[in-house]
Amino acid sequence: MSNTTTKNTQKGHAYALAHKQINKAIENDPPFPIEAISIEESILSDRLRSAVLALLPAKANTKTFSGILEVVYDKKTHAVAHGFEDLGAALAKKGGFEALDDWRKGRNLFIHGLARSSRPGQPTEIGSDVFYSEGLAIARKGLELVRIVEAWSKKSIRAAKRMTPKKA
C-alpha cells in the first residue's frame, strides 16, 4: 500500500467519523450545535482549500475559511475564480457562494454570541432561550453546504489531477 493510499484511507475514516459526529450532534436531545458547526467548518475549509491547491496553487497560502472564500469568490463583483464555476452552479439553489459566506457569518455570530454581549451588563447576543433552535438551524444549513461542497470537490479535484502532467 502506498503512502498516498494510507493517507487517503485515514482521511476517509476521519470524514466518516466527522459525519457521524455531525449527525449525532444534530440528532441528540439536547443537541450539540457548536460541535456540528465546528466540524462542518473544518470539512468546508478542507475541501475548498484542497480545491484551491489543485486548481489555483499560487493562491493556496490562506488557511482561514473566510480567506479561502475570498480566493474563490469576490463578494463585490460576484466573480467566481476559474475552476469554481461548477461549485457556484451546485450552490445556486442554496444561494450561491453568498450562502457559504452567510453561513460563515451566522456561525461566527452564534459561536461567539452565546457568551458575548454588546456592552458589559447587557444580555448576550444569542440568548439561552434560542440557543438550540438557532444553533440547529445553522448546523442543518452547514450540513447541506458540506454535502454540496464535498460532492463538487470529489469531481473537481479528480479532474484537476487528470489535467496535471505527471512528473517523470
Side-chain angles (χ1 to χ4, degrees):
M1 185 184 305
S2 74
N3 192 27
T4 301
T5 304
T6 303
K7 288 178 185 176
N8 287 342
T9 300
Q10 186 280 332
K11 191 150 197 169
H13 290 304
Y15 268 65
L17 176 60
H19 279 277
K20 183 178 177 183
Q21 288 304 116
I22 291 168
N23 290 327
K24 277 184 171 181
I26 289 172
E27 295 165 4
N28 198 59
D29 187 20
F32 297 96
I34 291 176
E35 180 173 358
I37 292 165
S38 297
I39 296 168
E40 291 162 356
E41 182 179 3
S42 178
I43 293 171
L44 290 167
S45 294
D46 179 67
R47 292 296 77 215
L48 290 172
R49 188 163 191 284
S50 291
V52 169
L53 281 166
L55 300 167
L56 305 167
K59 295 185 177 187
N61 59 351
T62 186
K63 293 181 179 160
T64 66
F65 187 55
S66 63
I68 295 165
L69 287 177
E70 288 173 11
V71 169
V72 301
Y73 178 73
D74 186 321
K75 289 185 260 186
K76 291 178 183 157
T77 65
H78 304 286
V80 177
H82 178 69
F84 290 84
E85 299 87 357
D86 287 348
L87 178 56
L91 289 167
K93 289 182 181 177
K94 299 295 177 188
F97 279 99
E98 290 90 354
L100 284 171
D101 197 46
D102 289 345
W103 180 84
R104 179 193 63 79
K105 290 174 189 171
R107 170 234 175 259
N108 286 343
L109 175 64
F110 179 74
I111 289 177
H112 298 291
L114 179 62
R116 179 177 63 194
S117 54
S118 59
R119 293 187 317 263
Q122 296 296 310
T124 59
E125 294 171 357
I126 300 293
S128 58
D129 58 329
V130 296
F131 174 78
Y132 291 118
S133 61
E134 288 194 21
L136 282 174
I138 294 166
R140 287 182 177 123
K141 177 71 172 184
L143 185 54
E144 291 174 4
L145 295 171
V146 162
R147 289 178 176 147
I148 292 167
V149 170
E150 281 182 324
W152 169 83
S153 171
K154 286 178 187 174
K155 293 177 192 172
S156 68
I157 292 172
R158 284 183 188 143
K161 286 180 180 178
R162 283 192 302 270
M163 303 277 293
T164 305
K166 295 189 178 187
K167 296 178 184 174

